[in-house]
């Protein structure tokens, strides 16, 4: 069977790499792909981004399964369109993807269905938003209501930061984020304390299968300092997700979400990602939902997946997850993101990347913001690479990842030196 992966990031490189290992797959295509997928002899890039053109290309090339990596095509309705033309595709419909594409939709959904989350209010009027922040005080969280590539959240530790975030998102709207009804809108919610974890599952419309747990590092700099990003590194499994926390997350968050969507007349298929805040007592609250696998969490998770990823997706697109058991490598996987100069707000493009090592069984360099030009690999986005390693402990996986990353060079490179520190500290 021929398979298509939609997207051009590190998550999509990891997905395509994993799918290419299946003996049942004839060819893996990536649209549009990146410099890493271009250099991989097992993958073929397809330079198409228009969804209608991509659907026609899939029909013409007899694509048996499409896997959507990023959120934007999901929010644009790629799943609805492909299915309407008889194509097998894994992901949520446009209606279901509102859980990610609109923070206001997501928060109202959680409130309606009793899913634990932070207290919140939604605003389109900047004056009312400012008054609410003054009433509640800091720290407080301000979120742009719409897709912002992981950069639409400001955790304001002071009132000044909160007011600046409101003006930035509502008045300036520099991010260019519009909610589903048009215009700019913000969700302001209480600041939650605890430890974050990424909890991801696959849904086939009826059944749910949990992926390995993981933990992301959102802040740009060591010690969780600096601005929020799309993610500077991740590791799997996440020790904070104990067996009790896992059971609670499934019982209080994941299953009520799938059942709640069903009650609202929406059949949920695809990946569902719950960003959880776990307090010291092991109680969970939902920070956000994503309707796809996380990036960079996908890279460590798929490094640990021993099952055939293609077989997993076949089961997930045929209501067959109920009896499907995924097998995981007992080792820890840890991924370190290497980001471009100016990331997250103004990443620089066009810097030549040197020193890329050969891939190994226990160490992979997944490309994200890269392209191949004139025989060179160059930066083309904010998060450039995710160097991911497998080892027997978090500390050893950390050492292996940084050792693998050490020869890689490009101008202005940004990289945290402490990915996995929480698991080592604990």
């Amino acid at each position: 069977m021929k398979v298509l992966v939609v997207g051009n990031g590190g998550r999509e490189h990891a997905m395509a790499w994993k799918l290419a290992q299946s003996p049942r797959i004839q060819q893996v295509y990536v649209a549009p792909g990146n410099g890493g997928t271009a250099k991989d002899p097992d993958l073929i890039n397809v330079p198409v981004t228009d969804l209608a053109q991509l659907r026609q290309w899939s029909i013409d090339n007899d694509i048996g399964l499409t896997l959507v990596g990023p959120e934007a095509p999901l929010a644009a309705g790629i799943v609805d369109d492909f299915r309407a033309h008889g194509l097998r595709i894994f992901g949520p419909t446009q209606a279901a993807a509102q859980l990610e594409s609109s923070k206001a939709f997501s928060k109202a959904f959680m409130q309606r269905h009793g899913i634990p989350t932070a207290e919140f209010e939604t605003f389109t009027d900047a004056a009312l938003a400012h008054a609410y922040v003054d009433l509640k005080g800091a720290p407080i969280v301000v979120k742009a209501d719409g897709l912002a590539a992981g950069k639409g959240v400001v955790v304001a530790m002071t009132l000044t930061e909160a007011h600046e975030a409101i003006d930035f998102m509502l008045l300036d709207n520099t991010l260019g984020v519009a909610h589903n009804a048009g215009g700019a809108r913000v969700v302001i919610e209480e600041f939650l304390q605890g430890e974050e974890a990424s909890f991801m599952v696959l849904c086939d419309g009826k059944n749910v299968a949990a992926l390995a747990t993981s933990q992301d590092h959102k802040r740009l700099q060591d010690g969780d300092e600096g601005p929020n990003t799309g993610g500077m590194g991740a590791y799997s499994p996440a020790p904070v997700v104990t067996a009790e926390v896992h059971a609670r997350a499934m019982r209080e968050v994941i299953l009520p979400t799938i059942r709640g969507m069903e009650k609202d007349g929406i059949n949920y298929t695809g990946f569902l990602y719950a960003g959880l805040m776990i307090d010291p007592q092991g109680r969970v609250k939902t920070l956000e939902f994503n309707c796809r696998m996380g990036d960079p969490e996908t890279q460590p998770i798929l490094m640990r997946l021993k099952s055939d990823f293609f077989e997993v997706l076949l089961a997930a697109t045929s209501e067959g997850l109920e009896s499907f058991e995924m097998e995981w490598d007992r080792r820890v996987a840890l991924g370190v993101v290497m980001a471009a100069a100016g990331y997250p707000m103004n990443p620089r493009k066009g810097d030549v990347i040197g020193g890329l090592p050969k891939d190994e069984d226990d160490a992979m360099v997944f490309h994200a913001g890269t392209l191949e030009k004139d025989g060179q690999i160059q930066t083309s986005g904010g998060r450039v690479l995710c160097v991911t390693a497998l080892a027997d402990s978090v500390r050893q996986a950390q050492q292996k990842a940084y050792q693998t990353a050490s020869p890689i060079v490009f101008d202005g490179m940004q990289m945290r030196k402490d990915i996995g520190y929480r698991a080592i500290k604990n």
Side-chain angles (χ1 to χ4, degrees):
M1 188 182 284
K2 298 177 188 175
V3 174
L4 171 66
V5 176
V6 178
N8 65 346
R11 165 185 47 225
E12 291 77 43
H13 187 185
M15 288 173 162
W17 164 80
K18 196 67 181 178
L19 283 166
Q21 295 171 16
S22 173
R24 292 187 58 189
I25 287 185
Q26 178 186 343
Q27 183 63 59
V28 178
Y29 298 93
V30 192
N34 57 39
T37 54
K39 288 181 73 69
D40 190 322
D42 295 327
L43 309 175
I44 297 176
N45 281 359
V46 179
V48 178
T49 54
D50 179 83
L51 299 189
Q53 289 179 20
L54 196 56
R55 176 244 301 151
Q56 191 56 50
W57 181 90
S58 300
I59 293 169
D60 294 343
N61 288 274
D62 195 28
I63 298 299
L65 171 69
T66 298
L67 174 61
V68 187
E71 60 275 20
L74 296 170
I78 187 173
V79 171
D80 310 69
D81 184 49
F82 273 49
R83 284 183 184 164
H85 289 83
L87 293 166
R88 182 192 287 254
I89 183 168
F90 187 62
T93 61
Q94 188 174 36
Q98 289 180 94
L99 275 179
E100 176 169 10
S101 65
S102 171
K103 295 283 191 294
F105 174 92
S106 175
K107 295 293 285 190
F109 172 87
M110 286 188 266
Q111 191 175 55
R112 191 164 63 248
H113 293 288
I115 296 162
T117 190
E119 179 188 81
F120 73 100
E121 289 290 344
T122 303
F123 299 94
T124 54
D125 184 300
L128 293 176
H130 285 304
Y132 182 77
V133 162
D134 284 334
L135 176 69
K136 291 294 181 180
I140 198 163
V141 181
V142 184
K143 296 180 176 180
D145 180 30
L147 298 179
K151 296 182 282 287
V153 177
V154 172
V155 180
M157 301 311 290
T158 66
L159 285 174
T160 300
E161 287 178 326
H163 290 307
E164 285 175 353
I166 290 166
D167 288 341
F168 178 69
M169 293 178 193
L170 280 184
L171 300 182
D172 305 336
N173 195 18
T174 307
L175 290 171
V177 173
H179 62 79
N180 292 336
R185 182 162 65 183
V186 295
V187 174
I188 302 178
E189 60 184 44
E190 69 172 313
F191 173 77
L192 297 176
Q193 287 188 302
E195 195 167 340
E196 286 187 49
S198 306
F199 197 95
M200 285 178 255
V201 301
L202 300 101
C203 310
D204 64 10
K206 289 184 178 178
N207 311 297
V208 175
L211 293 168
T213 61
S214 57
Q215 191 166 53
D216 185 11
H217 296 63
K218 288 290 184 196
R219 299 285 190 155
L220 181 67
Q221 295 157 359
D222 288 4
D224 295 323
E225 298 289 332
N228 254 5
T229 71
M232 292 300 292
Y235 57 93
S236 173
V240 69
V241 184
T242 61
E244 293 77 17
V245 169
H246 194 287
R248 181 171 262 173
M250 288 294 286
R251 185 176 66 247
E252 297 179 7
V253 178
I254 300 297
L255 293 176
T257 299
I258 302 303
R259 305 295 172 251
M261 292 296 273
E262 199 176 351
K263 284 178 187 171
D264 291 351
I266 301 171
N267 186 41
Y268 196 97
T269 56
F271 294 109
L272 178 64
Y273 168 131
L276 302 179
M277 183 65 82
I278 303 162
D279 74 11
Q281 288 74 44
R283 293 174 299 213
V284 301
K285 283 193 176 179
T286 312
L287 295 170
E288 64 176 355
F289 283 120
N290 294 324
C291 294
R292 36 74 191 181
M293 285 187 80
D295 189 346
E297 297 98 326
T298 300
Q299 292 89 309
I301 287 173
L302 290 185
M303 283 281 283
R304 292 187 59 223
L305 180 64
K306 295 180 79 171
S307 304
D308 185 320
F309 191 37
F310 176 65
E311 298 289 354
V312 174
L313 295 173
L314 275 187
T317 50
S318 56
E319 293 189 354
L321 283 177
E322 187 176 22
S323 57
F324 198 93
E325 285 286 330
M326 280 178 279
E327 188 181 352
W328 300 97
D329 195 309
R330 60 171 182 76
R331 290 176 292 175
V332 173
L334 185 142
V336 177
V337 167
M338 307 177 88
Y343 181 74
M345 296 312 297
N346 297 294
R348 193 171 71 205
K349 300 178 181 180
D351 289 309
V352 175
I353 304 168
L356 288 165
K358 288 184 178 178
D359 293 329
E360 302 173 23
D361 289 342
D362 59 354
M364 283 287 302
V365 179
F366 293 110
H367 289 235
T370 71
L371 59 80
E372 189 177 27
K373 188 176 180 182
D374 303 327
Q376 296 177 318
I377 299 295
Q378 298 182 5
T379 64
S380 66
R383 289 178 296 164
V384 177
L385 304 167
C386 183
V387 182
T388 311
L390 272 170
D392 288 330
S393 68
V394 178
R395 188 179 295 280
Q396 287 174 315
Q398 184 190 60
Q399 289 170 346
K400 178 72 176 174
Y402 282 109
Q403 179 187 340
T404 304
S406 62
I408 302 172
V409 290
F410 55 91
D411 286 346
M413 182 184 75
Q414 301 184 80
M415 178 178 69
R416 281 183 59 160
K417 299 284 174 45
D418 66 345
I419 301 302
Y421 80 91
R422 285 196 198 93
I424 294 169
K425 182 179 69 178
N426 293 342

